[in-house]
């Protein structure tokens, strides 16, 4: 039997953080696999916030909802700038 006079400690595991670019990669791939236009669907989600723009295939919808929409825009713009050598 445990001693109820002492403080008990619990270790809670943090949910693993996934990078925004990894989320976009998974979502893009899932949308392509299902035959959707990934650019149109991702833009639709970013503009509206409606998660039904993203398929649930490969857990893509759940993943994209873990990231703030402004973070998605930032990552897309960051990659665009990098790929066009503006920096």
């Amino acid at each position: 039997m445990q001693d109820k006079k002492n403080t008990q400690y619990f270790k809670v595991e943090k949910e693993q953080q996934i990078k925004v670019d990894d989320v976009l990669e998974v979502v893009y791939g899932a949308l392509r696999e299902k035959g959707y236009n990934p650019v149109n669907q991702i833009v639709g989600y970013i503009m509206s916030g409606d998660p039904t723009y993203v398929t649930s295939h490969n857990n893509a919808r759940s993943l994209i909802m873990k990231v703030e929409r402004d973070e998605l825009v930032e990552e897309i713009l960051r990659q665009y700038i990098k790929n066009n050598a503006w920096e």
Side-chain angles (χ1 to χ4, degrees), residues 23-56:
V23 168
L24 285 167
E25 186 176 340
V26 169
V27 170
Y28 187 91
L31 288 165
R32 280 193 56 135
E33 284 179 22
K34 293 305 277 184
Y36 296 109
N37 179 324
V39 173
N40 288 349
Q41 297 305 112
I42 293 170
V43 168
Y45 171 70
I46 290 171
M47 296 298 292
S48 71
D50 182 356
T52 60
Y53 275 96
V54 178
T55 179
S56 58

